[in-house]
Amino acid sequence: MIETQTLPDIRIDTVVESRLPSFDPNHLKFGRQFTDHMFSAEYRDGQWTNLRIMPYGPLKMSPATSALHYGQSIFEGLKAHKAPDGTPLIFRPEENARRLNASAVRMKMPKFPEALFLKGLTKLVQLEKGWIPQGEDYSLYLRPFMFATDEFLGVKPSETYRFLILASPAGSYYTKPVRVKVETHYTRAASGGTGSAKAAGNYAGSLYPAALGQQDGFDQLIWTDGQEHKYIEESGTMNIAFIIDGTLVTPALTDSILPGVTRKSVLKIARQWGLPVEERKISVAELVDAYKSGRLQDAFGLGTAATLIQIESITYNGEEFVLPELPSREISNRLANYLRRLKRGLEEDTFNWLLRI
Ligand code: COI
């Protein structure tokens, strides 16, 4: 239940002329277009102030803004869809509000009150509901983020911050199943590091190894543990799961793995359906062995942007393991379909995951 009465007011400054009439809701790509407005808040003297919805546009910033130098910057990603009756539905926003604050703690940033996160998000989606695209793989992708704004050149936690939420009508992050390579040299996150926080720097560090993989024709990498490169952690910007002998197996969460909302949701659905689910360590050797003995039936990535994306093949030490044809991937097909329908209000919301606006 959202206690909106006790929360500070959000000022709304709307655009003079909306860009909506010229918006083409067909052929959408991911992350390229933004709606008319964004939510904004500023942190100073220990308080979040100046809460407002304002026209989307450039920010005025000092070149000494500390986030640019020392990387105190965290973000979230979640999606809104439209139900058949036109009601906007946001998928599990309270999970993102909580995770943002877990990231904030790790990066020595202030928390953003969860109720205020939900209020700001709700108001923004209410205002921008005309931008929610209807297409099968389309959504209104919402991007809350926070960064340090002190104008100071010294390594210390900033005393001021900005929190914003952007809304972006978006198409699929991946348009086809992905070819991935097990990364055995570079590391996404080490034990004791920031891997379980949704920190901007984690993504920055992944770009060079990912680009090397792309040069060799891989869409993404499978990250392994930073110590021995022996255990599977994530795939690219997503969590990863396998079906081995009919059991859904996924790496157990550690401080080097992002606790994904899609991962959490899929595990809950699978358990509800009575599928055996194991959250545990998975070594690359186990995976190769499962493949070679015909027990690796499926592999897929799980993330908000990607939703559930099937993996076409996994390459390890130059050997490519091609996974079964998509139509035979009964479990991941069923999970993907159910999630897609649930988010659009086409399944009964038995888990109470949808915030109706
Ligand atoms: C998401 O899945 O929402 C993310 O934040 C990952 C990013 C690559 C878009």
Side-chain angles (χ1 to χ4, degrees):
M1 195 65 198
I2 312 168
E3 289 279 345
T4 41
Q5 305 88 316
T6 57
L7 296 172
D9 282 341
I10 297 174
R11 205 179 71 216
I12 300 186
D13 298 327
T14 53
V15 290
V16 178
E17 196 178 350
S18 171
R19 288 178 279 109
L20 193 52
S22 59
F23 167 58
D24 174 10
N26 303 304
H27 319 110
L28 286 175
K29 294 203 166 139
F30 185 87
R32 306 239 173 234
Q33 307 196 55
F34 299 92
T35 64
D36 286 327
H37 302 95
M38 59 189 183
F39 173 81
S40 169
E42 285 151 37
Y43 184 85
R44 71 181 90 94
D45 302 326
Q47 291 212 58
W48 286 102
T49 62
N50 203 6
L51 310 167
R52 63 200 195 280
I53 284 180
M54 58 190 285
Y56 170 86
L59 305 174
K60 198 166 158 236
M61 285 197 319
S62 157
T65 295
S66 70
L68 301 178
H69 300 264
Y70 311 114
Q72 268 189 304
S73 176
I74 56 176
F75 71 98
E76 276 301 319
L78 67 166
K79 284 177 172 173
H81 294 91
K82 248 185 207 162
D85 68 359
T87 309
L89 307 170
I90 312 182
F91 188 70
R92 307 195 77 177
E94 63 297 332
E95 290 288 332
N96 298 88
R98 267 200 288 273
R99 190 174 62 184
L100 178 89
N101 284 336
S103 301
V105 169
R106 179 62 183 85
M107 304 306 288
K108 197 71 189 88
M109 298 165 84
K111 290 186 178 180
F112 192 79
E114 288 174 23
L116 211 49
F117 178 106
L118 295 174
K119 184 175 174 180
L121 195 70
T122 303
K123 284 224 178 287
L124 182 66
V125 172
Q126 247 162 13
L127 188 66
E128 305 292 58
K129 65 175 179 228
W131 292 84
I132 304 176
Q134 293 279 23
E136 165 88 337
D137 293 316
Y138 291 176
S139 63
L140 186 67
Y141 184 80
L142 301 159
R143 167 54 56 87
F145 63 111
M146 188 201 295
F147 60 94
T149 52
D150 273 8
E151 198 176 338
F152 174 71
L153 297 182
V155 182
K156 73 166 185 65
S158 179
E159 285 168 18
T160 61
Y161 295 84
R162 187 94 183 254
F163 173 76
L164 295 153
I165 307 176
L166 310 181
S168 169
S172 304
Y173 196 77
Y174 293 109
T175 50
K176 60 175 188 51
V178 288
R179 285 187 73 218
V180 298
K181 179 189 99 163
V182 178
E183 178 58 58
T184 51
H185 175 68
Y186 294 101
T187 300
R188 189 194 83 95
S191 175
T194 59
S196 64
K198 209 162 170 63
N202 293 340
Y203 294 78
S206 76
L207 298 176
Y208 178 67
L212 293 180
Q214 278 155 14
Q215 277 172 21
D216 293 333
F218 299 104
D219 300 297
Q220 268 304 346
L221 304 174
I222 291 185
W223 297 107
T224 50
D225 71 281
Q227 204 141 10
E228 302 174 276
H229 293 296
K230 204 166 145 188
Y231 294 98
I232 289 169
E233 300 227 306
E234 296 188 17
S235 179
T237 56
M238 305 175 288
N239 294 114
I240 190 165
F242 305 95
I243 306 292
I244 303 177
D245 265 341
T247 296
L248 195 161
V249 188
T250 190
L253 293 179
T254 64
D255 66 356
S256 57
I257 296 180
L258 188 82
V261 179
T262 307
R263 174 190 182 279
K264 184 174 180 177
S265 307
V266 159
L267 297 188
K268 179 99 185 173
I269 296 165
R271 286 186 169 118
Q272 173 91 359
W273 286 353
L275 287 173
V277 172
E278 293 176 6
E279 294 177 72
R280 60 171 172 82
K281 278 188 156 192
I282 311 165
S283 69
V284 182
E286 175 190 347
L287 203 66
V288 170
D289 182 57
Y291 182 85
K292 291 193 168 164
S293 57
R295 291 175 298 115
L296 180 62
Q297 296 152 333
D298 204 344
F300 44 93
L302 299 167
T304 296
T307 315
L308 185 158
I309 184 80
Q310 285 146 323
I311 292 176
E312 185 181 301
S313 73
I314 300 173
T315 295
Y316 175 59
N317 277 347
E319 200 177 350
E320 183 174 22
F321 306 114
V322 179
L323 285 138
E325 293 293 318
L326 293 193
S328 70
R329 311 243 201 133
E330 214 178 293
I331 295 175
S332 63
N333 286 337
R334 188 171 161 217
L335 284 166
N337 194 36
Y338 179 77
L339 255 187
R340 189 181 307 117
R341 290 176 51 81
L342 181 68
K343 289 179 176 183
R344 287 167 175 74
L346 299 168
E347 296 283 347
E348 198 188 332
D349 183 18
T350 48
F351 300 107
N352 205 13
W353 283 345
L354 298 174
L355 177 63
R356 304 177 77 85
I357 304 293

